[in-house]
Amino acid sequence: MKHDLVLSTFGGDARAIVEAAVRAAGEGYDGVWVFDHLSSLASPGAPGEGAARDPFVLLGAIAARTSRLRIGTLVANIHNRHPVQLALALDTLGQLAPGRVVAGIGAGAGPGSPFAREDAAVGRTVRPAARRRELLVEHVAALDAIWRGEDATGSVATHGLSGVVVGPRPPVVIGGSTRATLELATRIADGANITGASGPALAERVAQVRAAAAQRPDGGAGFELSVFVPRSPAEIEATGGVAALELPDGVDRLTFLVRP
């Protein structure tokens, strides 16, 4: 099982975040992810304190300072940028870190979530879960079309656009907590990151995702399943280590949260 760090950008100093990624590489972690938020208003812990840093600027700096780490967003919010902008950012990052980029993508916050504060502040309507999943399908399909050299369709349609990407499409990992979103990931993405579950609930989610992934042409062998652990490695060690998490079989990667 591989171990990654998710570096929270809420209230963080950009230079310190990059240095943390360099240290993670030196300590043997397999990958580093960063959040994608417009403002620290979305922070569940200290809303409005400090600022939220741009994920792709951070990842570009991390790419330049490391040579082995897998890097990506956990997750890029589909509401923050058009798929063309996302493809451009990912492909540019791919030139800086060939073969190391992962496109973590999510459908955005639901009503009542702390993250919805960000949507309200920019006048964005928080849509129901079913509609957000529909938009997620459109955005992933648009990324696929852009990398095939074709136009995207639907609400994110393009018209004769070319010259956006030059490298291979990075793997797409969808972050989610519900059965519907995670099973959707097995149909349209290369992996899933499970959030908001532990114990028996996590075991149930893992079993559901693995069963759905088994219906893929490759039998699910190429589908990566990771779990978001909202605690740091130090906190995990202080409470019995990874073994105490009692993880079910079928998890490929753990992503630990590190706050500034």
Side-chain angles (χ1 to χ4, degrees):
M1 187 182 297
K2 296 183 178 180
H3 291 178
D4 295 352
L5 297 184
V6 182
L7 302 177
S8 170
T9 57
F10 290 132
D13 177 87
R15 294 160 296 187
I17 292 169
V18 173
E19 291 301 327
V22 172
R23 179 176 173 181
E27 293 189 2
Y29 286 94
D30 297 290
V32 161
W33 309 75
V34 293
F35 290 161
D36 173 29
H37 286 283
L38 305 177
S39 162
S40 64
L41 275 177
S43 171
E49 183 176 313
R53 305 291 75 198
D54 182 270
F56 288 104
V57 173
L58 291 173
L59 292 172
I62 292 168
R65 295 281 306 279
T66 62
S67 59
R68 180 188 56 79
L69 279 182
R70 196 173 81 154
I71 57 176
T73 48
L74 199 66
V75 287
N77 185 341
I78 60 170
H79 306 291
N80 285 353
R81 55 186 69 77
H82 191 281
V84 173
Q85 294 172 295
L86 180 57
L88 178 62
L90 289 167
D91 192 62
T92 304
L93 187 60
Q95 284 199 324
L96 297 174
R100 296 196 283 137
V101 178
V102 183
I105 300 175
S113 162
F115 304 119
R117 290 191 291 257
E118 185 175 83
D119 294 300
V122 296
R124 199 156 59 191
T125 300
V126 179
R127 296 177 172 90
R131 177 54 181 155
R132 285 185 282 116
R133 282 193 292 271
E134 290 173 357
L135 291 171
L136 180 61
V137 171
E138 280 195 359
H139 279 245
V140 174
L143 290 176
D144 289 338
I146 290 165
W147 257 281
R148 290 194 305 266
E150 303 171 2
D151 274 323
T153 59
S155 66
V156 290
T158 59
H159 309 279
L161 184 68
S162 62
V164 178
V165 299
V166 294
R169 177 176 81 68
V172 171
V173 172
I174 289 176
S177 59
T178 67
R179 176 174 182 166
T181 299
L182 294 169
E183 290 187 351
L184 175 63
T186 67
R187 298 195 296 273
I188 67 172
D190 305 295
N193 181 269
I194 299 176
T195 65
S198 60
L202 177 60
E204 181 182 3
R205 285 285 179 265
V206 170
Q208 290 166 350
V209 173
R210 282 300 177 199
Q215 305 305 310
R216 294 161 60 98
D218 65 356
F223 188 83
E224 182 182 86
L225 182 58
S226 57
V227 172
F228 178 65
V229 181
R231 289 182 284 166
S232 71
E235 291 170 324
I236 295 296
E237 284 303 313
T239 55
V242 171
L245 296 176
E246 298 182 346
L247 294 165
D249 292 337
V251 177
D252 301 306
R253 187 179 295 265
L254 293 181
T255 58
F256 300 101
L257 176 63
V258 178
R259 298 177 178 84

